[in-house]
Structure formats: structure tokens, C-alpha cells
């Protein structure tokens, strides 16, 4: 069973359909082989690749593509480690030249300590990339105003952080995430901050279209088992959202009616 729940439309990003609503990364794994096993266990069919950090082409060293075939999975080049719009655009131009990829993940960071996105630079880089024909999935702050501006600039998916990158703190501002979802006409995918399966389920229960994670799986004691847990969490959270949760109540409400008791 994939992370696409039954009786549900598939995740569609930039006209491309995906069975899974879970996206995983390629950083922090001990080996590419472990990364490949985690990807298989996760059921994901999209994987984000840090172009500046992952070996894609040097045959003298282990290459990601020797373990994860881009014919079998959608590679999503990202701009991890970029702090200016120009640097991000340059990185993705190189990715397109190397692999022909035009569906990309943009992130332009502001400070190495908290790794929050520089939203002014992010918006500017989005505009530049869209003009060059890229389909841009954008990592952003959980700011509904900027999220809408990114969409208006042509982003094909909005990816607000749940918490700082690699923190594992879970979704810290569900109110803003919900506001972004309610106003978006493109997919909203929580990106960054997920630490365990319940965090992924919370994001999906809010109505997110998907979840992207890396550290939560790669730094788990058993990455393969955690990848499997995340697969089921995304499915469960999506099902719960579609089912519609019961209303919260201030007082107890008996499961069995009290009237008519003998």
C-alpha cells in the first residue's frame, strides 16, 4: 500500500501525478544503500536531492544514481546551502544541465543558526526561476502572506516549515499552516521539522497535501523502520482528514445513550 489512500485523488504537482504523499531526502544517511532501502520502505516516489552535496556524476566515487534510479523515482533537485537568489538559480541551472530536471525545490536560507528562509530572496529567486521555465516547489516560512505571494509568483507548490530544519520539533504553528492551506490553490507540503510519525500525521490531518522529511528518517536509530512508520503515518493522517474528525467537546458525551436504560 502506498501513501496514496484509497478513494482519494492523487497528489498532483505541476501536472505530474504521484501515488505517495510522502517525499524523503538524501542527506545524513550512512550510505547511499541505506538511503535506497529507506526510500523503498517509505513508499515515496519523489526524492529530493541536494545538488551541491550529493555525488551524481563522479564515477570514481559512490554515486546516488547507482543505488536510486532516476527512471524509477522523481528526482527533485534542491538548493540546500544557498543563501542568495543568484546562488540558488545557478545551482538549479546546473541541475537542469546535468539531469534535465525542471521540477525543482527552492530554498534560500538566511542564517546558518536557525536555517529559516530569507523570504525576500526566496520570492525573488522564484520569480527568476519561473521566467526560465522551472517548475518551482518553494520552501518557505509559515507566513500566509508570503505563501500567497509565492503562489502568485508562479510556484507550483508551497512548502512551509513545520519547525526549523533538522530540529524534529514537529509542527509548531498549526494555525498558520491551516491558514496557508485554506488560501492555497496549489499543493501545500510541510517541509522541515518533522521528528516522528505523529508529527507527519498531524500535518496531514491539518489538510496538507504532503509531507517532506529527511532527518527524521536518516537520524532515527533504525531508518528503515522509521521510513515505514512515516509511510503509514501519512496514510493515516490523510484518511483522518478526509473522514472529518469529531467535534471537540467541553464535557463527556457517553458512547451509549443514557435514555431508556432498564
Amino acid at each position: 500500500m502506498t501513501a496514496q489512500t484509497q478513494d482519494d485523488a492523487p497528489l498532483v504537482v505541476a501536472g505530474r501525478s504521484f501515488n505517495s504523499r510522502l517525499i524523503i531526502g538524501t542527506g545524513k544517511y550512512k550510505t547511499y544503500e541505506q538511503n535506497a532501502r529507506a526510500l523503498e520502505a517509505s513508499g515515496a516516489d519523489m526524492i529530493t536531492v541536494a545538488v551541491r552535496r550529493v555525488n551524481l556524476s563522479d564515477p570514481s566515487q559512490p554515486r546516488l544514481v547507482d543505488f536510486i534510479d532516476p527512471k524509477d523515482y522523481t528526482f527533485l533537485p534542491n538548493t540546500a546551502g544557498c543563501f542568495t537568489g543568484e546562488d540558488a538559480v545557478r545551482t538549479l541551472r546546473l541541475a537542469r544541465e546535468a539531469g534535465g530536471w525542471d521540477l525543482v525545490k527552492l530554498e534560500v536560507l538566511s542564517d546558518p543558526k536557525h536555517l529559516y528562509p530569507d523570504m525576500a530572496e526566496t520570492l525573488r529567486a522564484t520569480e527568476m526561476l519561473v521566467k526560465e521555465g522551472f517548475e518551482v516547489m518553494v520552501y518557505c516560512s509559515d507566513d500566509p502572506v508570503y505563501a500567497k505571494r509565492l503562489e502568485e509568483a508562479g510556484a507550483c507548490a508551497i512548502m512551509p516549515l513545520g519547525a526549523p530544519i533538522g530540529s524534529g520539533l514537529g509542527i509548531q504553528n498549526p494555525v498558520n499552516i491551516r491558514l496557508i492551506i485554506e488560501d492555497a490553490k496549489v499543493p501545500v507540503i510541510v517541509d522541515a521539522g518533522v521528528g516522528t510519525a505523529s508529527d507527519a500525521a498531524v500535518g496531514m490531518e491539518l489538510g496538507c497535501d504532503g509531507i517532506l522529511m529527511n532527518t527524521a528518517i536518516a537520524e532515527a536509530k533504525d531508518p528503515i523502520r522509521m521510513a515505514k512508520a512515516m509511510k503509514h503515518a501519512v496514510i493515516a493522517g490523510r484518511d483522518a482528514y478526509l473522514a472529518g474528525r469529531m467535534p471537540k467537546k467541553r464535557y463527556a458525551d457517553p458512547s451509549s445513550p443514557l435514555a431508556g436504560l432498564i
Side-chain angles (χ1 to χ4, degrees):
M1 183 178 184
T2 68
Q4 178 61 51
T5 187
Q6 293 180 349
D7 302 320
D8 184 17
L11 171 64
V12 177
V13 179
R16 310 177 194 206
S17 182
F18 298 95
N19 289 321
S20 175
R21 292 179 178 274
L22 175 61
I23 305 168
I24 76 166
T26 50
K28 302 182 179 180
Y29 288 93
K30 293 179 180 178
T31 63
Y32 289 142
E33 189 272 338
Q34 184 188 61
N35 197 170
R37 289 177 59 209
L39 176 58
E40 182 179 5
S42 75
D45 44 20
M46 188 190 309
I47 185 164
T48 184
V49 180
V51 179
R52 303 174 72 183
R53 298 171 179 167
V54 170
N55 179 29
L56 294 170
S57 57
D58 183 358
S60 67
Q61 302 291 331
R63 298 181 304 174
L64 178 68
V65 293
D66 295 330
F67 296 86
I68 301 173
D69 193 335
K71 296 178 182 178
D72 297 330
Y73 297 94
T74 295
F75 276 35
L76 183 66
N78 72 50
T79 58
C82 292
F83 290 84
T84 68
E86 282 76 15
D87 201 9
V89 171
R90 188 182 311 113
T91 298
L92 292 177
R93 284 173 181 160
L94 291 173
R96 184 157 63 182
E97 291 176 9
W101 296 299
D102 57 8
L103 180 64
V104 297
K105 178 194 165 189
L106 171 67
E107 56 182 79
V108 183
L109 306 177
S110 58
D111 187 298
K113 180 179 180 180
H114 53 63
L115 297 180
Y116 261 64
D118 181 327
M119 291 308 302
E121 282 292 282
T122 297
L123 179 58
R124 193 168 67 86
T126 299
E127 293 168 342
M128 289 190 285
L129 289 166
V130 169
K131 286 180 180 178
E132 294 191 17
F134 287 95
E135 300 285 358
V136 189
M137 302 171 68
V138 188
Y139 167 68
C140 60
S141 63
D142 55 1
D143 180 343
V145 176
Y146 257 117
K148 196 62 183 177
R149 288 180 180 173
L150 290 169
E151 181 181 335
E152 292 168 349
C156 66
I158 304 301
M159 308 179 77
L161 56 83
I165 291 174
S167 67
L169 292 172
I171 295 175
Q172 296 295 295
N173 197 341
V175 173
N176 276 19
I177 299 293
R178 179 178 53 79
L179 290 172
I180 291 170
I181 293 167
E182 288 179 357
D183 205 30
K185 294 181 175 60
V186 297
V188 175
I189 300 170
V190 163
D191 177 9
V194 169
T196 190
S198 57
D199 299 331
V202 166
M204 297 306 294
E205 288 172 9
L206 286 170
C208 289
D209 296 283
I211 305 285
L212 189 152
M213 66 185 69
N214 182 74
T215 307
I217 296 175
E219 290 194 350
K221 292 181 180 179
D222 184 340
I224 314 307
R225 185 178 291 271
M226 183 60 81
K228 183 179 178 182
M230 292 300 189
K231 168 185 173 180
H232 292 298
V234 168
I235 294 170
R238 180 67 177 175
D239 268 333
Y241 170 72
L242 293 175
R245 65 157 290 145
M246 62 168 283
K248 294 182 179 182
K249 302 171 184 178
R250 293 182 63 187
Y251 303 105
D253 184 8
S255 299
S256 300
L258 295 177
L261 293 179
I262 297 175

